[in-house]
Amino acid sequence: MARSSGFLDTLLTSPTTERYRVGISLLFLLGVWLTVGAFSQGMPSSMLLMAAAVIGGYMAINIGANDVANNVGPAVGSGALSLGAAVVIAAIFEAGGAIIAGGDVVSTIKGGIIDPSSLEDGRAFVWLMTAALLAGALWLNLATWMGAPVSTTHSIVGGVLGAGIAAGGWGIADWAVMGKIAASWVISPVLGGALAALFLFAIKKTVLYRKEVIPAARTFVPWLVAIMAWAFGTYLMIKGVKKIVKVDFLEATLIGLAAAAVVFFIMRTLVGRMASTMENSSAGVNTLFTWPLIFAAALLSFAHGANDVANAIGPLAAINDALSAGAVVTSASIPLWVMMVGALGLAVGLMLFGPRLIKTVGSEITELDKTRAFCIALSAALTVILASQLGLPVSSTHIAIGGVFGVGFLREYLKSNYATQLHKIMEHHDPAEQERLKPFLDDFRNASVEEMENLLKQAKKKKQVPLSKSERKRLKKIYREEMVKRSHLVRIAAAWIITVPASAIMAAILFFTLRGLLI
């Protein structure tokens, strides 16, 4: 099994298979074109519907390639799942979430950002939605190529906004709604990062920093996993299956509590059994979070498929209904073929192009182990729950990436804090002992946060040599760069900020182009 998984990992990441990925994507889109063409033959504007279906499939591919990485990236980066296994699990649960819980009616205007009643011409509405869909897909394609995980919701919002303004003028947009969306650029990552860092610090204080971690793990880990079970149970009720099971927040919370109670007793038994053979270290504690992370990746993928498939099929369903009715529609039914285009497109995009962003989220921003990845997954579910109750607009992408940066900056703070203690301890020693500095620095540079604490105690006892002021500054800078990659932070933040305006500008240009070609 491990051998086959390793082969799949190599196949997914090999540069030589790039042309095959593109070829398979084109075959999928050709299949969409031919299938829609077969049953729409003789219908008015069948060619436009076929083109819109291909664009919807292209959008779904890009959602799978870019957005799904947030759900499985931490599990892959921590080693809980291999890349191949993560891609297979996510593809199955994304498609399952879209088909099972994607709903049968979708709002055509995401978030009410424009007023479609301002459009008197049904054709203009079709051109608007087509331009928005294509612009969102093109922006996601570019972002994936750059290795920047961005919000697919914001991509389609920008597309609808830009094409809407092109079609109906500036007054068509609801700028209050757009202000809330802009606020989410800050709210989402800050909330996700703060919660992830808070849980990681709590785990370190209650378990990892203890001299005997096994008894601490037996006490606290079942409670931590039970909290995750409550969060995901509630999250799935209010977000994942809201279109097939209608529950209020209290009912969703009670269902989550029931799941948490079951999981608590299961985890208490499992941890008790594993304690006798578990290593008395952070590595031993890490093994306890493997299965919770696998379930988290699957459940996040299911909920994402149920919710974000609408970014691909919403405009497509709107175009389908508008062409049939010849008028503007504010909500559209979702035919099975439209849902299949979205569900299969998500899976195809994830399997062909998802590994690049999975690696970025899982290992290139900061180093993740299973404990850190657990905190990121837990913060993702809790942030969505908290934001939904407070009425705050948040992006699942921004929450997950914020969680990754949150645990990275916490590690950086803890490590630099230990470095500061080291500097204070060494400041008053004799400069003649500087030759003893290098081996100590080598050990310190390669130490984990927990090992650093022990090294500091040894340094205090053995009177190690102090660092010069310039050396201290250089050492702090090295540690900051090791913990969180600043280049990724700048690139991702820039991509988030320009997502809405970039897709809006592209959509406006595409709208005028389509109108000029089809009038």
Side-chain angles (χ1 to χ4, degrees), residues 127-136 138 155-170 500-516:
W127 301 335
L128 185 160
M129 300 308 291
T130 303
L133 195 56
L134 182 55
L138 288 171
S155 299
I156 196 64
V157 161
V160 171
L161 177 67
I165 291 173
W170 293 95
V500 170
S503 57
I505 292 170
M506 285 193 287
I509 294 171
L510 288 168
F511 174 82
F512 288 124
T513 303
L514 284 171
R515 190 178 66 173

Side-chain angles (χ1 to χ4, degrees), residues 36 39-50 126 319-326:
V36 176
F39 69 75
S40 65
Q41 196 170 22
M43 292 173 54
S45 305
S46 63
M47 289 295 292
L48 185 54
L49 180 61
M50 291 162 65
V126 171
I319 292 167
N320 179 59
D321 269 19
L323 289 175
S324 300

Side-chain angles (χ1 to χ4, degrees), residues 47-80:
M47 289 295 292
L48 185 54
L49 180 61
M50 291 162 65
V54 170
I55 296 171
Y58 176 50
M59 178 64 168
I61 288 174
N62 283 287
I63 291 174
N66 192 288
D67 218 21
V68 181
N70 311 311
N71 303 327
V72 298
V76 173
S78 68

Side-chain angles (χ1 to χ4, degrees), residues 378-390:
L378 179 56
S379 76
L382 286 174
T383 302
V384 171
I385 294 169
L386 178 62
S388 66
Q389 294 312 298
L390 295 176

Side-chain angles (χ1 to χ4, degrees), residues 271-293:
V271 174
R273 290 177 182 174
M274 296 175 67
S276 58
T277 58
M278 194 174 77
E279 181 182 341
N280 187 47
S281 66
S282 58
V285 175
N286 263 307
T287 61
L288 300 175
F289 293 109
T290 301
W291 279 104
L293 278 173

Side-chain angles (χ1 to χ4, degrees), residues 17-34:
T17 60
E18 185 64 30
R19 61 181 180 272
Y20 298 113
R21 297 189 187 104
V22 175
I24 294 171
S25 300
L26 292 175
L27 284 175
F28 169 73
L29 297 178
L30 177 62
V32 171
W33 172 273
L34 295 174

Side-chain angles (χ1 to χ4, degrees), residues 420-437:
T420 301
Q421 293 180 44
L422 175 65
H423 303 153
K424 289 179 180 178
I425 291 171
M426 289 182 171
E427 274 178 350
H428 305 295
H429 291 290
D430 189 343
E433 297 177 341
Q434 289 186 2
E435 291 184 4
R436 298 171 58 190
L437 177 63

